[in-house]
Amino acid sequence: NDLPGYGQFVDWEKIDPEAAKKYQQILRSEHQQLKTMAREGFWAMPHTLRAKAYYHIIHSINSIRAVTPDRDVYYELTKKLFGEQKRSSHPVPKYMEDGEIPRYCLNKAGLNSAKKVLLCLGKYFIDMNFCPILPALVSLILHFSEDEAECFYSVSRLICYNDPNKRYIDQTFLTYRASCMTFGDLANKCCRGIRKLIASSHQNLFEFYSDWIMWIFADLPFTYAIRVLDVYLLEGYKVLYRVALALLDLYKVSVSSRVADVEDFRTDMKRFVQNVARHCTAEKLLERAFKISVPTRRDLNLLFTANKDIEYSISTNMNLVFTYVSKRLPVETVDFNNFRSNVVTGTEMRVIWAWIPERFALFSPFRLFSTAEHERTLVFGAFLSTDVAERRKHDSEELAYFGTGECLVFMVSFLLGSCKYTLLISTCPLSGGDGGHALCLQRDLQGGYTEPCETFKSIALCKRDFKIQSLEVWGIQNSISFSHCFPSK
């Protein structure tokens, strides 16, 4: 019943038999069937059907070795925190990024209830120190909850879920940053155009990517957010990556024609998402999202873990504790203003840096080798995310595949026009296989050749044979395992 206080004498299943039939179908469906139904909007209408579907789905989420607080726990927490008061005057929990609770369609009482649930979650999950999406999640789920206690219990189940390959909520600044880096890695492969625009504008690419999850759970209009929530409750974090990439792809189309007028890409993107209805319906957004090819859950988790490890290493070396306060620390440590090279400019290196994996791009480039300063006797590999020595790790005379799937080659060209030049980079992820050398240098570093390569799915970077006028090798400070060479033809 969508009208509180009315209809308590009515058998609503007789009033709306189609919704009752759909609910029985939901109860009989397996997980894979429910995923398909969620993507198609099976329980989008009426409101009560979605509420029942959420209740069934959330109560089916089982966490391994985790105890979820029940309704009684919520009643105890509210008694301790608020006593007999029905309204909360407490400051918002510190794990919230900016203290705002998305209102969506909640009335004043609903907004107060959302705040109480958020305070109780913070009181119970004491290790949760940074979780900017939780206010929106609580607000959305409260729309479809019987009362505050049910909302608290539902969100708690998502927080307690501990399968690393299908997680729901980041609870610390460390995991939040790792997720932002993981999204950046995905965006660098799936939405290359926007990366180039932002990097060329001298704006901070990581700061732009760090807003990705708030595009969904803060900026999207209510009707879009609940359609994402339909799928998220069944598929977990992976669907958020898909939707954010779809939004980024839409934004690229919108901003390309007006890039000269954009002063702040972060603000512009936020405004774009808030007004996404001008560009795409909720259903078309989801269709677009599921057409995007993303890694498997296992591979996503491996990438997320690698990013989390590098963030932990940084925090340990800097003797930091990631809390709400440390969120305000600057995210860019790379200084391209004082960059010096005989081959590329600081602006060009900034764009190149935007193409490498996020966990490496945190560090500053430093020059390891230059033909202008050193003898021409260096033997080296191409653009590698792991040590080239791994090619012979398998006790075999044969060369073996190696790397993390993040090796790349690139091509630089300069296009004059409007008193500007453009840096064009063509990259492809390592996929294994033979079929040509993307880049091959002579031992004396006097010349080399390039040809189409099946491994990188790349074209020749220039005419086949070239002479080297200048060559530099760049490493990444504090992370020598990834190096770059820039031969200048």
Side-chain angles (χ1 to χ4, degrees):
N1 182 3
D2 291 330
L3 299 173
Y6 295 90
Q8 62 266 41
F9 305 111
V10 177
D11 185 343
W12 287 97
E13 291 190 356
K14 291 182 179 179
I15 295 289
D16 191 355
E18 184 63 27
K21 182 179 177 181
K22 282 188 172 184
Y23 180 58
Q24 292 304 315
Q25 189 174 341
I26 291 171
L27 295 178
R28 293 193 302 267
S29 298
E30 300 293 333
H31 183 79
Q32 195 61 39
Q33 293 173 301
L34 288 172
K35 284 174 60 175
T36 301
M37 294 159 72
R39 293 184 184 190
E40 295 174 349
F42 183 82
W43 49 75
M45 290 294 290
H47 180 93
T48 49
L49 179 60
R50 178 178 262 125
K52 290 180 179 180
Y54 283 4
Y55 182 90
H56 172 69
I57 293 166
I58 292 174
H59 281 250
S60 299
I61 296 174
N62 295 315
S63 301
I64 303 173
R65 297 186 302 275
V67 179
T68 303
D70 57 19
R71 299 173 67 95
D72 290 337
V73 171
Y74 181 75
Y75 296 138
E76 292 175 5
L77 288 170
T78 54
K79 187 174 181 179
K80 290 179 180 178
L81 287 173
F82 316 116
E84 299 301 322
Q85 298 178 359
K86 293 185 177 181
R87 301 191 63 83
S88 168
S89 58
H90 295 65
V92 297
K94 290 186 177 181
Y95 64 76
M96 291 172 55
E97 182 178 17
D98 54 15
E100 294 185 6
I101 303 173
R103 186 164 186 167
Y104 297 118
C105 302
L106 295 178
N107 55 25
K108 289 184 178 180
L111 200 60
N112 178 67
S113 292
K115 182 180 177 182
K116 290 171 67 177
V117 172
L118 288 164
L119 285 164
C120 288
L121 289 170
K123 187 71 172 179
Y124 185 84
F125 296 100
I126 57 175
D127 294 329
M128 181 169 61
N129 60 47
F130 192 78
C131 190
I133 73 167
L134 206 56
L137 274 180
V138 167
S139 181
L140 287 170
I141 292 176
L142 190 60
H143 285 71
F144 306 96
S145 298
E146 181 182 357
D147 53 25
E148 295 172 9
E150 183 185 321
C151 179
F152 173 84
Y153 176 74
S154 296
V155 177
S156 295
R157 290 189 75 87
L158 301 181
I159 294 174
C160 290
Y161 192 78
N162 51 17
D163 181 348
N165 290 327
K166 184 193 167 185
R167 55 200 178 86
Y168 283 101
I169 298 175
D170 290 324
Q171 302 172 43
T172 67
F173 187 68
L174 180 69
T175 55
Y176 158 80
R177 288 264 297 194
S179 292
C180 292
M181 292 168 65
T182 303
F183 174 75
D185 289 329
L186 296 175
N188 286 349
K189 291 184 178 180
C190 300
C191 304
R192 297 176 180 176
I194 192 67
R195 166 181 55 187
K196 177 186 166 185
L197 289 175
I198 296 174
S200 299
S201 71
H202 295 263
Q203 295 187 34
N204 191 308
L205 189 62
F206 182 81
E207 284 189 352
F208 178 81
Y209 286 153
S210 69
D211 292 335
W212 77 277
I213 203 165
M214 303 308 290
W215 301 339
I216 302 169
F217 287 132
D219 300 334
L220 270 182
F222 176 72
T223 54
Y224 289 72
I226 57 174
R227 284 295 289 118
V228 176
L229 187 62
D230 290 345
V231 189
Y232 165 76
L233 292 177
L234 286 156
E235 302 191 31
Y237 224 77
K238 185 176 179 179
V239 74
L240 301 184
Y241 287 135
R242 287 185 181 276
V243 173
L245 289 171
L247 288 169
L248 195 59
D249 194 44
L250 281 171
Y251 177 66
K252 178 184 66 176
V253 176
S254 167
V255 78
S256 296
S257 61
R258 54 183 180 84
V259 65
D261 300 323
V262 179
E263 296 182 1
D264 184 350
F265 280 99
R266 295 181 70 184
T267 302
D268 194 64
M269 180 65 181
K270 180 182 181 70
R271 190 180 301 115
F272 172 84
V273 175
Q274 291 172 337
N275 296 281
V276 70
R278 299 176 183 175
H279 308 274
C280 185
T281 65
E283 300 309 315
K284 290 295 183 183
L285 177 64
L286 287 181
E287 285 181 22
R288 198 182 193 103
F290 286 109
K291 288 179 181 178
I292 297 174
S293 178
V294 296
T296 63
R297 293 183 189 278
R298 178 181 176 277
D299 289 342
L300 278 174
N301 186 50
L302 290 174
L303 181 57
F304 170 78
T305 301
N307 288 330
K308 185 173 66 172
D309 289 345
I310 199 69
E311 280 289 341
Y312 179 77
S313 176
I314 293 171
S315 67
T316 302
N317 292 337
M318 296 178 66
N319 195 27
L320 293 176
V321 176
F322 281 137
T323 63
Y324 175 74
V325 176
S326 67
K327 197 271 179 188
R328 302 302 175 189
L329 291 171
V331 297
E332 182 171 296
T333 59
V334 183
D335 181 12
F336 292 105
N337 295 323
N338 298 317
F339 177 83
R340 297 291 181 269
S341 168
N342 297 320
V343 178
V344 291
T345 67
T347 298
E348 293 160 3
M349 184 60 122
R350 182 191 295 273
V351 176
I352 294 169
W353 221 243
W355 286 73
I356 69 175
E358 291 289 323
R359 64 184 182 279
F360 297 124
L362 291 173
F363 302 102
S364 300
F366 68 102
R367 189 160 56 187
L368 299 173
F369 174 84
S370 170
T371 54
E373 300 176 14
H374 303 84
E375 297 293 329
R376 296 173 181 264
T377 57
L378 180 66
V379 179
F380 68 102
F383 302 89
L384 307 177
S385 58
T386 55
D387 198 314
V388 70
E390 290 192 9
R391 301 184 78 183
R392 298 189 182 276
K393 271 189 173 181
H394 304 282
D395 300 324
S396 172
E397 294 298 323
E398 300 291 331
L399 296 178
Y401 295 127
F402 69 103
T404 60
E406 298 167 313
C407 302
L408 55 89
V409 295
F410 68 76
M411 174 176 60
V412 180
S413 62
F414 302 92
L415 302 177
L416 295 176
S418 302
C419 299
K420 295 181 179 180
Y421 60 85
T422 304
L423 181 63
L424 301 177
I425 302 180
S426 174
T427 70
C428 295
L430 180 65
S431 57
D434 301 309
H437 294 87
L439 179 61
C440 183
L441 305 182
Q442 299 172 358
R443 285 181 178 272
D444 61 6
L445 303 183
Q446 297 287 344
Y449 69 90
T450 175
E451 59 188 356
C453 178
E454 291 182 9
T455 296
F456 291 92
K457 297 290 189 292
S458 61
I459 62 174
L461 303 181
C462 65
K463 291 182 178 180
R464 188 180 191 279
D465 298 299
F466 58 85
K467 291 183 179 180
I468 297 176
Q469 295 178 350
S470 178
L471 183 144
E472 294 178 347
V473 177
W474 288 80
I476 299 175
Q477 200 163 5
N478 297 327
S479 184
I480 310 298
S481 63
F482 189 89
S483 62
H484 303 58
C485 76
F486 305 119
S488 177
K489 183 182 174 186

